[in-house]
Coordinates of all heavy atoms in Angstrom, one line a residue:
M1 N -24.4 32.8 5.5 CA -23.1 32.6 5.0 C -22.5 34.0 4.9 O -23.1 35.0 4.6 CB -23.2 32.0 3.5 CG -21.8 31.7 3.0 SD -21.9 31.1 1.3 CE -21.9 29.4 1.6
K2 N -21.2 34.1 5.2 CA -20.5 35.3 5.3 C -20.2 35.8 3.9 O -19.7 35.0 3.0 CB -19.2 35.2 6.1 CG -18.5 36.5 6.3 CD -17.3 36.3 7.2 CE -16.5 37.6 7.3 NZ -15.3 37.4 8.1
K3 N -20.4 37.1 3.6 CA -20.1 37.6 2.3 C -18.6 37.8 2.2 O -17.9 38.2 3.1 CB -20.7 39.0 2.1 CG -22.2 39.0 1.9 CD -22.4 39.5 0.5 CE -23.9 39.4 0.1 NZ -24.1 40.0 -1.1
S4 N -18.1 37.5 1.0 CA -16.7 37.7 0.7 C -16.3 39.1 0.5 O -17.1 39.9 0.0 CB -16.3 36.9 -0.6 OG -15.0 37.1 -0.9
E5 N -15.1 39.5 0.9 CA -14.7 40.9 0.8 C -14.2 41.1 -0.6 O -14.1 42.3 -1.0 CB -13.5 41.1 1.7 CG -13.9 41.0 3.2 CD -12.7 41.3 4.1 OE1 -11.7 41.8 3.7 OE2 -12.8 40.9 5.3
W6 N -14.0 40.1 -1.4 CA -13.6 40.3 -2.8 C -14.7 40.2 -3.7 O -15.6 39.4 -3.6 CB -12.6 39.1 -3.2 CG -11.4 39.1 -2.3 CD1 -11.2 38.4 -1.1 CD2 -10.1 39.7 -2.6 NE1 -10.0 38.6 -0.6 CE2 -9.3 39.4 -1.5 CE3 -9.7 40.5 -3.6 CZ2 -8.0 39.8 -1.4 CZ3 -8.4 41.0 -3.5 CH2 -7.5 40.6 -2.5
S7 N -14.7 41.1 -4.7 CA -15.8 41.0 -5.7 C -15.2 40.2 -6.9 O -14.0 39.9 -7.0 CB -16.1 42.4 -6.2 OG -15.0 43.0 -7.0
D8 N -16.1 39.8 -7.7 CA -15.7 38.9 -8.9 C -14.7 39.7 -9.8 O -13.8 39.1 -10.3 CB -16.9 38.5 -9.7 CG -17.8 37.5 -9.0 OD1 -17.3 36.9 -8.0 OD2 -19.0 37.4 -9.4
R9 N -14.9 40.9 -9.9 CA -14.0 41.7 -10.8 C -12.6 41.8 -10.2 O -11.6 41.6 -10.9 CB -14.5 43.1 -10.9 CG -15.0 43.4 -12.3 CD -15.4 44.8 -12.5 NE -16.6 44.8 -13.3 CZ -17.6 45.6 -13.3 NH1 -17.5 46.7 -12.5 NH2 -18.6 45.5 -14.0
E10 N -12.5 42.0 -8.9 CA -11.2 42.0 -8.2 C -10.5 40.7 -8.3 O -9.3 40.6 -8.6 CB -11.4 42.4 -6.7 CG -11.8 43.8 -6.5 CD -12.1 44.1 -5.1 OE1 -12.4 43.2 -4.3 OE2 -12.0 45.3 -4.7
I11 N -11.2 39.6 -8.2 CA -10.6 38.3 -8.3 C -10.1 38.1 -9.7 O -9.0 37.6 -9.9 CB -11.6 37.2 -7.9 CG1 -11.9 37.3 -6.4 CG2 -11.1 35.8 -8.2 CD1 -13.1 36.4 -5.9
E12 N -10.9 38.4 -10.7 CA -10.5 38.3 -12.1 C -9.2 39.1 -12.4 O -8.3 38.7 -13.1 CB -11.6 38.7 -13.0 CG -12.7 37.7 -13.1 CD -13.9 38.2 -13.9 OE1 -13.8 39.2 -14.6 OE2 -14.9 37.5 -13.9
E13 N -9.2 40.3 -11.8 CA -8.0 41.2 -12.0 C -6.7 40.6 -11.4 O -5.7 40.6 -12.0 CB -8.2 42.6 -11.5 CG -9.2 43.4 -12.3 CD -8.7 43.7 -13.6 OE1 -7.5 44.0 -13.8 OE2 -9.5 43.7 -14.6
L14 N -6.9 40.0 -10.2 CA -5.8 39.4 -9.6 C -5.3 38.2 -10.3 O -4.1 37.9 -10.4 CB -6.1 39.0 -8.1 CG -6.2 40.1 -7.1 CD1 -6.8 39.6 -5.8 CD2 -4.9 40.8 -6.9
L15 N -6.2 37.4 -10.9 CA -5.8 36.2 -11.7 C -5.1 36.6 -12.9 O -4.2 35.9 -13.4 CB -7.1 35.4 -12.0 CG -7.7 34.6 -10.8 CD1 -9.0 33.9 -11.2 CD2 -6.7 33.6 -10.3
R16 N -5.5 37.7 -13.5 CA -4.8 38.2 -14.8 C -3.4 38.7 -14.5 O -2.5 38.6 -15.3 CB -5.6 39.3 -15.4 CG -6.9 38.8 -16.1 CD -7.5 39.9 -16.9 NE -8.8 39.5 -17.4 CZ -10.0 40.0 -17.0 NH1 -10.0 40.9 -16.1 NH2 -11.1 39.5 -17.5
K17 N -3.2 39.2 -13.3 CA -1.9 39.7 -12.9 C -0.9 38.6 -12.6 O 0.3 38.8 -12.5 CB -2.0 40.6 -11.7 CG -2.6 41.9 -12.1 CD -2.7 42.8 -10.8 CE -3.5 44.1 -11.1 NZ -3.6 44.9 -9.9
M18 N -1.4 37.4 -12.3 CA -0.6 36.3 -12.0 C 0.3 35.8 -13.2 O -0.1 36.0 -14.3 CB -1.4 35.1 -11.5 CG -2.0 35.3 -10.2 SD -3.0 33.9 -9.6 CE -1.6 32.8 -9.2
P19 N 1.4 35.3 -13.0 CA 2.3 34.9 -14.1 C 1.7 33.7 -14.9 O 1.0 32.9 -14.3 CB 3.6 34.5 -13.4 CG 3.3 34.2 -12.0 CD 2.1 35.0 -11.7
K20 N 2.0 33.7 -16.1 CA 1.5 32.6 -17.0 C 2.2 31.3 -16.6 O 3.4 31.3 -16.4 CB 1.7 32.9 -18.5 CG 1.0 34.1 -18.9 CD -0.5 33.8 -19.1 CE -1.2 35.1 -19.6 NZ -2.6 35.0 -19.7
I21 N 1.5 30.2 -16.7 CA 2.1 28.9 -16.4 C 2.6 28.3 -17.7 O 1.8 28.3 -18.7 CB 1.0 28.0 -15.8 CG1 0.6 28.5 -14.5 CG2 1.6 26.6 -15.6 CD1 -0.6 27.7 -13.8
Q22 N 3.8 27.9 -17.7 CA 4.4 27.4 -19.0 C 4.9 26.0 -18.7 O 5.7 25.8 -17.8 CB 5.6 28.3 -19.4 CG 5.1 29.6 -19.8 CD 6.3 30.5 -20.2 OE1 7.4 30.1 -20.1 NE2 6.0 31.7 -20.7
D23 N 4.4 25.0 -19.4 CA 4.8 23.7 -19.3 C 5.2 23.2 -20.7 O 4.5 23.1 -21.6 CB 3.6 22.8 -18.8 CG 4.0 21.4 -18.4 OD1 5.2 21.1 -18.5 OD2 3.1 20.7 -18.0
Y24 N 6.5 22.8 -20.7 CA 7.1 22.5 -22.0 C 7.0 21.0 -22.3 O 7.5 20.5 -23.3 CB 8.5 23.0 -22.1 CG 8.6 24.5 -22.0 CD1 9.1 25.1 -20.9 CD2 8.1 25.3 -23.1 CE1 9.2 26.5 -20.8 CE2 8.2 26.6 -23.0 CZ 8.7 27.2 -21.9 OH 8.8 28.6 -21.8
R25 N 6.4 20.2 -21.4 CA 6.4 18.8 -21.6 C 5.4 18.4 -22.6 O 4.4 19.1 -22.9 CB 6.0 18.1 -20.3 CG 7.0 18.2 -19.2 CD 6.5 17.5 -17.9 NE 5.4 18.2 -17.4 CZ 4.6 17.8 -16.3 NH1 4.9 16.7 -15.8 NH2 3.6 18.5 -15.9
D26 N 5.6 17.3 -23.3 CA 4.7 16.8 -24.3 C 3.5 16.2 -23.6 O 3.6 15.5 -22.6 CB 5.4 15.7 -25.1 CG 4.6 15.3 -26.3 OD1 3.8 16.1 -26.9 OD2 4.7 14.1 -26.7
P27 N 2.3 16.6 -24.1 CA 1.1 16.0 -23.4 C 1.0 14.5 -23.4 O 0.5 13.9 -22.5 CB -0.1 16.6 -24.3 CG 0.5 17.8 -25.0 CD 2.0 17.5 -25.2
R28 N 1.6 13.9 -24.4 CA 1.6 12.4 -24.4 C 2.5 11.9 -23.2 O 2.1 10.8 -22.6 CB 2.2 11.9 -25.7 CG 1.1 11.9 -26.8 CD 1.7 11.4 -28.1 NE 2.1 12.6 -28.8 CZ 2.9 12.7 -29.8 NH1 3.6 11.6 -30.1 NH2 3.2 13.8 -30.4
D29 N 3.6 12.6 -22.9 CA 4.4 12.1 -21.8 C 3.6 12.3 -20.4 O 3.7 11.4 -19.6 CB 5.7 13.0 -21.7 CG 6.6 12.7 -22.8 OD1 6.5 11.6 -23.4 OD2 7.5 13.6 -23.2
I30 N 2.9 13.4 -20.3 CA 2.1 13.6 -19.1 C 1.1 12.5 -18.9 O 0.9 11.9 -17.9 CB 1.5 15.0 -19.1 CG1 2.5 16.1 -19.1 CG2 0.5 15.2 -17.9 CD1 2.0 17.4 -19.4
Y31 N 0.4 12.2 -20.0 CA -0.6 11.1 -20.0 C 0.0 9.8 -19.7 O -0.6 9.0 -18.9 CB -1.4 11.1 -21.3 CG -2.5 10.0 -21.3 CD1 -3.6 10.2 -20.6 CD2 -2.3 8.9 -22.0 CE1 -4.6 9.3 -20.6 CE2 -3.2 7.9 -22.0 CZ -4.4 8.1 -21.3 OH -5.4 7.1 -21.4
Q32 N 1.1 9.5 -20.3 CA 1.8 8.2 -20.0 C 2.2 8.1 -18.6 O 2.0 7.0 -18.0 CB 3.0 8.1 -20.9 CG 3.6 6.7 -20.9 CD 4.8 6.6 -21.9 OE1 5.3 7.6 -22.3 NE2 5.2 5.4 -22.2
N33 N 2.7 9.1 -18.0 CA 3.0 9.1 -16.5 C 1.8 8.9 -15.7 O 1.9 8.2 -14.7 CB 3.8 10.4 -16.1 CG 5.2 10.5 -16.7 OD1 5.8 9.4 -17.0 ND2 5.7 11.7 -16.8
L34 N 0.7 9.5 -16.0 CA -0.5 9.3 -15.2 C -1.0 7.9 -15.4 O -1.5 7.3 -14.4 CB -1.6 10.3 -15.7 CG -1.3 11.8 -15.3 CD1 -2.4 12.7 -15.9 CD2 -1.3 12.0 -13.8
S35 N -1.0 7.4 -16.6 CA -1.6 6.0 -16.7 C -0.6 5.0 -16.1 O -1.1 4.0 -15.6 CB -1.7 5.7 -18.2 OG -0.5 5.8 -18.9
F36 N 0.7 5.3 -16.0 CA 1.6 4.4 -15.4 C 1.3 4.3 -13.9 O 1.4 3.3 -13.3 CB 3.0 4.8 -15.6 CG 4.1 4.0 -15.0 CD1 4.3 2.7 -15.4 CD2 4.8 4.4 -13.9 CE1 5.3 1.9 -14.8 CE2 5.7 3.6 -13.2 CZ 5.9 2.3 -13.7
K37 N 1.0 5.4 -13.3 CA 0.8 5.5 -11.8 C -0.5 4.7 -11.5 O -0.6 4.2 -10.4 CB 0.7 6.9 -11.4 CG 2.0 7.6 -11.4 CD 1.9 9.1 -10.9 CE 3.2 9.8 -11.0 NZ 3.1 11.2 -10.6
R38 N -1.4 4.7 -12.4 CA -2.7 4.0 -12.1 C -2.6 2.5 -12.2 O -3.5 1.8 -11.7 CB -3.8 4.5 -13.0 CG -4.2 5.9 -12.8 CD -5.2 6.3 -13.7 NE -5.5 7.8 -13.6 CZ -6.6 8.3 -13.4 NH1 -7.7 7.5 -13.3 NH2 -6.8 9.6 -13.3
R39 N -1.5 2.0 -12.7 CA -1.4 0.5 -12.9 C -1.0 -0.2 -11.6 O -1.0 -1.4 -11.5 CB -0.4 0.2 -13.9 CG -0.8 0.6 -15.3 CD 0.2 0.2 -16.4 NE -0.1 0.8 -17.6 CZ 0.8 1.1 -18.5 NH1 2.0 0.9 -18.3 NH2 0.4 1.7 -19.6
K40 N -0.7 0.6 -10.6 CA -0.3 -0.1 -9.3 C -1.5 -0.8 -8.8 O -2.7 -0.6 -9.1 CB 0.1 1.0 -8.3 CG 1.4 1.7 -8.7 CD 1.8 2.7 -7.6 CE 3.1 3.4 -8.0 NZ 3.4 4.4 -7.1
S41 N -1.2 -1.8 -7.9 CA -2.3 -2.6 -7.3 C -3.2 -1.7 -6.4 O -2.7 -0.8 -5.8 CB -1.7 -3.8 -6.5 OG -1.0 -3.3 -5.4
P42 N -4.4 -2.1 -6.3 CA -5.3 -1.3 -5.5 C -4.8 -1.3 -4.0 O -4.2 -2.2 -3.6 CB -6.7 -2.0 -5.6 CG -6.6 -2.8 -6.8 CD -5.1 -3.1 -7.0
S43 N -5.2 -0.2 -3.3 CA -4.7 -0.1 -2.0 C -5.3 -1.1 -1.0 O -4.8 -1.2 0.1 CB -5.0 1.3 -1.5 OG -6.3 1.6 -1.5
W44 N -6.4 -1.8 -1.3 CA -7.0 -2.7 -0.4 C -6.4 -4.1 -0.5 O -6.8 -4.9 0.4 CB -8.5 -2.7 -0.7 CG -8.8 -3.1 -2.1 CD1 -9.0 -2.3 -3.2 CD2 -9.0 -4.5 -2.6 NE1 -9.3 -3.0 -4.3 CE2 -9.3 -4.4 -4.0 CE3 -8.9 -5.7 -2.0 CZ2 -9.4 -5.5 -4.8 CZ3 -9.1 -6.8 -2.8 CH2 -9.4 -6.7 -4.2
V45 N -5.6 -4.4 -1.4 CA -5.1 -5.8 -1.6 C -4.2 -6.2 -0.5 O -4.4 -7.2 0.2 CB -4.4 -5.9 -3.0 CG1 -3.7 -7.2 -3.1 CG2 -5.3 -5.7 -4.1
L46 N -3.2 -5.4 -0.2 CA -2.2 -5.8 0.9 C -2.9 -5.9 2.3 O -2.7 -6.9 3.0 CB -1.1 -4.8 0.9 CG 0.1 -5.2 1.8 CD1 0.7 -6.5 1.3 CD2 1.2 -4.1 1.7
P47 N -3.7 -4.9 2.7 CA -4.4 -5.1 4.0 C -5.4 -6.3 4.0 O -5.5 -6.9 5.1 CB -5.2 -3.8 4.1 CG -4.5 -2.8 3.3 CD -4.0 -3.6 2.2
S48 N -6.0 -6.6 2.9 CA -6.9 -7.8 2.9 C -6.1 -9.1 3.1 O -6.5 -10.0 3.7 CB -7.8 -7.8 1.7 OG -7.0 -7.9 0.5
I49 N -4.9 -9.1 2.5 CA -4.1 -10.3 2.6 C -3.6 -10.5 4.0 O -3.6 -11.6 4.6 CB -2.9 -10.3 1.6 CG1 -3.4 -10.4 0.2 CG2 -1.8 -11.3 2.0 CD1 -2.3 -10.2 -0.9
A50 N -3.2 -9.3 4.7 CA -2.8 -9.4 6.1 C -3.9 -9.8 7.0 O -3.7 -10.6 7.9 CB -2.2 -8.0 6.4
A51 N -5.1 -9.3 6.7 CA -6.3 -9.7 7.5 C -6.6 -11.2 7.4 O -6.9 -11.8 8.4 CB -7.5 -8.8 7.1
A52 N -6.5 -11.7 6.2 CA -6.7 -13.1 5.9 C -5.7 -14.0 6.7 O -6.0 -15.0 7.3 CB -6.7 -13.4 4.5
A53 N -4.4 -13.5 6.6 CA -3.4 -14.3 7.3 C -3.6 -14.3 8.9 O -3.5 -15.3 9.5 CB -2.0 -13.7 7.0
A54 N -4.0 -13.1 9.4 CA -4.3 -13.0 10.8 C -5.5 -13.9 11.2 O -5.5 -14.6 12.2 CB -4.6 -11.5 11.2
L55 N -6.5 -13.9 10.4 CA -7.7 -14.7 10.7 C -7.3 -16.2 10.6 O -7.7 -17.0 11.5 CB -8.8 -14.4 9.6 CG -10.1 -15.2 9.8 CD1 -10.8 -14.8 11.1 CD2 -11.0 -14.9 8.7
F56 N -6.5 -16.6 9.7 CA -6.0 -18.0 9.6 C -5.3 -18.4 10.9 O -5.5 -19.4 11.4 CB -5.1 -18.1 8.4 CG -4.6 -19.5 8.2 CD1 -5.3 -20.6 7.8 CD2 -3.2 -19.7 8.5 CE1 -4.8 -21.8 7.7 CE2 -2.7 -21.0 8.4 CZ -3.4 -22.1 8.0
L57 N -4.4 -17.5 11.3 CA -3.6 -17.8 12.5 C -4.5 -17.9 13.7 O -4.3 -18.8 14.6 CB -2.5 -16.7 12.8 CG -1.4 -16.8 11.8 CD1 -0.4 -15.6 12.1 CD2 -0.6 -18.1 12.0
V58 N -5.5 -17.0 13.8 CA -6.4 -17.1 15.0 C -7.2 -18.4 14.9 O -7.4 -19.1 16.0 CB -7.4 -15.9 15.0 CG1 -8.6 -16.1 15.9 CG2 -6.6 -14.6 15.3
L59 N -7.7 -18.8 13.7 CA -8.4 -20.1 13.6 C -7.6 -21.3 14.0 O -8.0 -22.3 14.5 CB -9.0 -20.2 12.2 CG -10.1 -19.2 11.9 CD1 -10.6 -19.4 10.4 CD2 -11.3 -19.4 12.8
V60 N -6.3 -21.3 13.6 CA -5.4 -22.4 13.8 C -4.9 -22.4 15.3 O -5.0 -23.5 15.9 CB -4.2 -22.4 12.8 CG1 -3.2 -23.4 13.2 CG2 -4.7 -22.6 11.4
L61 N -4.5 -21.3 15.8 CA -3.9 -21.3 17.1 C -4.9 -21.0 18.2 O -4.6 -21.2 19.4 CB -2.8 -20.2 17.1 CG -1.6 -20.5 16.2 CD1 -0.6 -19.3 16.2 CD2 -0.9 -21.8 16.5
G62 N -6.0 -20.4 17.9 CA -7.0 -20.0 18.9 C -7.4 -21.2 19.8 O -7.4 -21.1 21.0
P63 N -7.9 -22.3 19.2 CA -8.4 -23.4 20.1 C -7.3 -23.9 21.0 O -7.5 -24.3 22.1 CB -8.8 -24.5 19.1 CG -9.1 -23.7 17.8 CD -8.2 -22.6 17.8
K64 N -6.0 -23.9 20.6 CA -4.9 -24.4 21.4 C -4.7 -23.4 22.6 O -4.3 -23.9 23.7 CB -3.7 -24.6 20.6 CG -3.8 -25.7 19.6 CD -2.5 -25.9 18.8 CE -2.7 -27.0 17.8 NZ -1.5 -27.2 17.0
L65 N -4.8 -22.2 22.3 CA -4.6 -21.2 23.4 C -5.7 -21.2 24.4 O -5.5 -21.1 25.6 CB -4.5 -19.8 22.8 CG -3.3 -19.5 21.9 CD1 -3.4 -18.1 21.3 CD2 -2.0 -19.6 22.7
F66 N -7.0 -21.4 24.0 CA -8.1 -21.4 24.9 C -8.3 -22.7 25.6 O -8.9 -22.8 26.6 CB -9.4 -20.9 24.2 CG -9.3 -19.5 23.8 CD1 -9.4 -19.2 22.5 CD2 -9.1 -18.5 24.7 CE1 -9.4 -17.8 22.0 CE2 -9.1 -17.2 24.3 CZ -9.2 -16.8 23.0
D67 N -7.8 -23.8 25.0 CA -8.0 -25.1 25.5 C -6.8 -25.6 26.3 O -6.6 -26.8 26.5 CB -8.3 -26.1 24.4 CG -8.9 -27.4 24.9 OD1 -9.6 -27.4 25.9 OD2 -8.7 -28.4 24.2
G68 N -5.9 -24.7 26.7 CA -4.7 -25.1 27.4 C -5.0 -25.9 28.7 O -4.3 -26.9 28.9
G69 N -5.9 -25.5 29.5 CA -6.2 -26.2 30.7 C -7.1 -27.4 30.5 O -7.1 -28.3 31.3
G70 N -7.9 -27.4 29.5 CA -8.8 -28.5 29.2 C -8.1 -29.8 28.9 O -8.6 -30.8 29.4
R71 N -7.0 -29.8 28.2 CA -6.3 -31.0 27.9 C -5.7 -31.6 29.1 O -5.7 -32.8 29.3 CB -5.3 -30.8 26.8 CG -4.7 -32.0 26.3 CD -3.9 -31.8 25.1 NE -3.4 -33.1 24.6 CZ -2.5 -33.3 23.7 NH1 -2.0 -32.2 23.1 NH2 -2.2 -34.4 23.3
S72 N -5.1 -30.8 29.9 CA -4.5 -31.3 31.2 C -5.5 -31.9 32.1 O -5.2 -32.9 32.7 CB -3.6 -30.3 31.8 OG -4.5 -29.2 32.3
S73 N -6.7 -31.3 32.2 CA -7.7 -31.9 33.0 C -8.2 -33.2 32.5 O -8.6 -34.1 33.2 CB -8.9 -30.9 33.2 OG -9.5 -30.6 32.0
L74 N -8.2 -33.3 31.2 CA -8.6 -34.6 30.6 C -7.6 -35.7 30.9 O -8.0 -36.8 31.2 CB -8.7 -34.4 29.0 CG -9.1 -35.6 28.2 CD1 -10.5 -36.1 28.6 CD2 -9.0 -35.3 26.8
L75 N -6.3 -35.3 30.9 CA -5.3 -36.3 31.2 C -5.4 -36.7 32.7 O -5.3 -37.9 33.1 CB -3.9 -35.8 31.0 CG -3.6 -35.6 29.5 CD1 -2.2 -34.9 29.4 CD2 -3.5 -36.9 28.8
I76 N -5.8 -35.8 33.5 CA -5.9 -36.1 35.0 C -7.1 -37.1 35.2 O -7.0 -38.0 35.9 CB -6.1 -34.8 35.8 CG1 -4.9 -34.0 35.8 CG2 -6.6 -35.1 37.2 CD1 -5.0 -32.6 36.4
K77 N -8.2 -36.8 34.4 CA -9.4 -37.7 34.6 C -9.0 -39.1 34.1 O -9.5 -40.1 34.7 CB -10.5 -37.1 33.8 CG -11.2 -35.9 34.4 CD -12.3 -35.4 33.6 CE -12.9 -34.1 34.1 NZ -14.0 -33.6 33.3
L78 N -8.3 -39.2 33.0 CA -7.9 -40.5 32.5 C -7.0 -41.3 33.5 O -7.2 -42.5 33.7 CB -7.2 -40.4 31.1 CG -8.0 -40.0 29.9 CD1 -7.2 -39.8 28.7 CD2 -9.1 -41.1 29.7
E79 N -6.1 -40.5 34.1 CA -5.2 -41.2 35.1 C -6.1 -41.6 36.3 O -5.8 -42.7 36.9 CB -4.1 -40.2 35.6 CG -3.1 -40.0 34.5 CD -2.1 -38.9 34.9 OE1 -2.2 -38.4 36.0 OE2 -1.2 -38.6 34.1
E80 N -7.0 -40.8 36.7 CA -7.9 -41.2 37.9 C -8.7 -42.5 37.5 O -8.8 -43.4 38.3 CB -8.9 -40.1 38.2 CG -8.2 -38.9 38.9 CD -9.2 -37.8 39.2 OE1 -10.3 -37.9 38.7 OE2 -8.7 -36.8 39.8
K81 N -9.2 -42.6 36.3 CA -9.9 -43.8 35.9 C -9.0 -45.0 35.9 O -9.4 -46.1 36.3 CB -10.5 -43.6 34.5 CG -11.7 -42.7 34.5 CD -12.3 -42.6 33.1 CE -13.5 -41.7 33.0 NZ -14.1 -41.6 31.7
K82 N -7.7 -44.8 35.4 CA -6.8 -46.0 35.4 C -6.5 -46.4 36.8 O -6.4 -47.6 37.1 CB -5.5 -45.6 34.7 CG -5.6 -45.5 33.2 CD -4.2 -45.1 32.6 CE -4.3 -45.0 31.1 NZ -3.1 -44.6 30.5
Q83 N -6.4 -45.5 37.8 CA -6.1 -45.8 39.2 C -7.3 -46.5 39.8 O -7.1 -47.5 40.5 CB -5.8 -44.5 40.0 CG -4.4 -44.0 39.7 CD -4.2 -42.7 40.4 OE1 -5.1 -42.2 41.1 NE2 -3.0 -42.1 40.2
L84 N -8.5 -46.1 39.4 CA -9.7 -46.8 39.9 C -9.8 -48.2 39.4 O -10.2 -49.2 40.1 CB -11.0 -46.0 39.6 CG -11.2 -44.7 40.3 CD1 -12.4 -44.0 39.8 CD2 -11.4 -45.0 41.8
K85 N -9.4 -48.4 38.2 CA -9.5 -49.8 37.6 C -8.4 -50.7 38.2 O -8.7 -51.9 38.4 CB -9.3 -49.7 36.1 CG -10.5 -49.2 35.3 CD -10.2 -49.2 33.8 CE -11.4 -48.6 33.1 NZ -11.2 -48.6 31.6
T86 N -7.3 -50.2 38.5 CA -6.2 -51.0 39.1 C -6.5 -51.3 40.5 O -6.1 -52.4 41.0 CB -4.9 -50.3 39.0 OG1 -4.9 -49.0 39.6 CG2 -4.4 -50.1 37.5
K87 N -7.3 -50.5 41.2 CA -7.6 -50.8 42.6 C -8.7 -51.9 42.7 O -8.8 -52.6 43.6 CB -8.1 -49.5 43.3 CG -7.0 -48.5 43.6 CD -7.6 -47.4 44.4 CE -6.5 -46.4 44.6 NZ -6.9 -45.1 45.3
V88 N -9.6 -52.0 41.7 CA -10.7 -52.9 41.8 C -10.2 -54.3 41.5 O -9.4 -55.0 41.3 CB -11.8 -52.5 40.8 CG1 -12.9 -53.5 40.8 CG2 -12.3 -51.2 41.2

């Protein structure tokens, strides 16, 4: 690990020279704002609802998309059977 060019004393001196932080807000207001922000719904709720809706659509529409040629071939076979019965 590379050694730092700053010593602990130098860092402490630099921190002491920095301006003081002044916050005039009431601590209760700060806490209330923090607790209000946490009441939002978890970040996983909306994506999970979207994923469930997508899965539902795939389950409902999927067989119709993949069976598009199968139904027409079934109709053709039924018509051929009807034609064979009418010829006999």
Side-chain angles (χ1 to χ4, degrees):
M1 185 183 266
K2 187 178 177 182
K3 283 247 180 178
S4 176
E5 294 179 18
W6 300 88
S7 69
D8 289 341
R9 250 187 221 150
E10 290 173 336
I11 293 172
E12 287 175 7
E13 287 297 320
L14 285 173
L15 288 173
R16 284 190 189 110
K17 290 179 184 177
M18 291 182 72
K20 298 285 183 188
I21 298 174
Q22 296 177 354
D23 191 359
Y24 298 109
R25 295 180 291 173
D26 186 32
R28 282 179 262 157
D29 292 337
I30 296 171
Y31 180 74
Q32 188 176 17
N33 287 339
L34 288 175
S35 63
F36 178 71
K37 288 180 183 177
R38 291 180 188 232
R39 290 183 193 150
K40 292 182 182 177
S41 63
S43 60
W44 57 269
V45 172
L46 190 60
S48 62
I49 291 172
L55 182 63
F56 176 75
L57 288 174
V58 167
L59 291 175
V60 170
L61 299 176
K64 291 181 181 179
L65 293 174
F66 293 119
D67 195 30
R71 187 168 185 192
S72 62
S73 64
L74 180 63
L75 291 174
I76 292 171
K77 287 180 184 178
L78 288 174
E79 289 176 3
E80 288 175 356
K81 284 183 181 180
K82 284 181 183 178
Q83 287 176 357
L84 288 175
K85 286 182 181 179
T86 57
K87 286 183 182 178
V88 174

